[in-house]
Amino acid sequence: SIHVQHGLHICLPRFAIVLQYYSLLYIFLAALIIETVVYVGTDIQPVLISPEAVRKSLNETLAGIPGMSQDERDHWISELRFHDDLQKFALFSPVAALLAFIVSLYHVLRIMLEHNSNELEWFPTRRQDWVLQIMCLPAVYGTMSLRCVLRCWALSTGCGWTPEMATDGWTWPEFAAQNMDEYGANFALANFAEMYTLLCFSQLIVDLLKEAISSPELR
């Protein structure tokens, strides 16, 4: 609220930008992107090598799961097979997500720097808030999509599975189901952000139309 912003600018003027909702959102998204890239580089390295390395890694993982028959192994290998060209193309997903993040952040900061429409620095007006919500969508959707690709990589390589999981009573179908649930949750969050952005866009358009209709030039 406006009162919270007044208190924030009085008590913590240097941290006003950091404590805005859009800044906290971008910090969270940056943490997700960094965590994803680090996880891929340290735990899912086969995807960075070749499609053959991915298939070999999955084979070795399934072979080491107690109680899994050859038929079950062949079934999962067939189910989780990545098309070679698709896998190579998917390697660009971190670059695409990072690019969407940077471009989106640039436009958000530019709007707040060049169009400060009230006395509180970094605090958006109602219209600016709608515009910011629209500008944030590519970063949110790109990051959540990258997290979906991560779930696919974890399954297709088998690198997300550890021997300790079998000791704790996990089965491979349960592990696969968990990854697919996380995949669905990431996309559901991205779709919710898209729907909310459409709501903000419609509110912005309606507000602009009301202003235009009430303009003396149209009377």
Side-chain angles (χ1 to χ4, degrees):
S1 67
I2 190 68
H3 302 293
V4 173
Q5 289 293 328
H6 273 296
L8 178 63
H9 282 75
I10 293 173
C11 300
L12 299 169
R14 294 184 178 180
F15 298 96
I17 180 177
V18 178
L19 297 177
Q20 300 300 323
Y21 78 87
Y22 52 85
S23 298
L24 296 175
L25 172 64
Y26 278 99
I27 291 172
F28 174 70
L29 295 177
L32 285 181
I33 293 175
I34 293 172
E35 190 270 340
T36 301
V37 172
V38 170
Y39 183 69
V40 171
T42 56
D43 295 337
I44 318 182
Q45 294 179 356
V47 300
L48 304 176
I49 301 174
S50 67
E52 291 76 18
V54 170
R55 287 190 285 269
K56 180 182 177 181
S57 176
L58 179 60
N59 239 324
E60 292 175 350
T61 299
L62 296 178
I65 298 177
M68 179 172 284
S69 66
Q70 183 62 47
D71 289 340
E72 290 176 312
R73 191 189 313 169
D74 292 340
H75 166 74
W76 283 108
I77 290 174
S78 174
E79 285 290 316
L80 299 175
R81 184 180 180 277
F82 243 137
H83 192 279
D84 292 355
D85 292 335
L86 178 60
Q87 182 187 324
K88 293 175 182 177
F89 186 74
L91 289 176
F92 292 99
S93 56
V95 178
L98 183 59
L99 183 61
F101 176 89
I102 292 174
V103 173
S104 174
L105 178 60
Y106 165 77
H107 285 290
V108 167
L109 293 178
R110 185 176 64 85
I111 289 173
M112 296 311 301
L113 282 170
E114 298 179 0
H115 303 281
N116 184 17
S117 302
N118 54 40
E119 299 177 355
L120 299 174
E121 190 177 14
W122 304 111
F123 182 54
T125 62
R126 184 179 62 172
R127 280 188 183 175
Q128 284 178 332
D129 184 62
W130 291 332
V131 173
L132 291 183
Q133 298 289 348
I134 297 169
M135 293 296 183
C136 289
L137 179 62
V140 174
Y141 213 101
T143 302
M144 292 299 103
S145 297
L146 177 61
R147 300 293 292 183
C148 290
V149 174
L150 175 63
R151 293 299 101 208
C152 292
W153 282 341
L155 272 177
S156 64
T157 61
C159 291
W161 175 271
T162 62
E164 290 76 15
M165 297 181 72
T167 305
D168 293 338
W170 279 76
T171 64
W172 178 263
E174 290 174 342
F175 169 74
Q178 183 198 38
N179 277 273
M180 294 310 299
D181 287 343
E182 292 183 22
Y183 178 98
N186 288 327
F187 257 134
L189 180 58
N191 288 331
F192 175 80
E194 183 179 27
M195 289 186 291
Y196 181 70
T197 301
L198 290 174
L199 174 63
C200 293
F201 180 75
S202 63
Q203 289 176 317
L204 176 63
I205 295 302
V206 170
D207 196 58
L208 291 172
L209 287 175
K210 286 181 178 178
E211 182 181 281
I213 292 173
S214 61
S215 174
E217 297 178 0
L218 297 180
R219 295 178 181 177

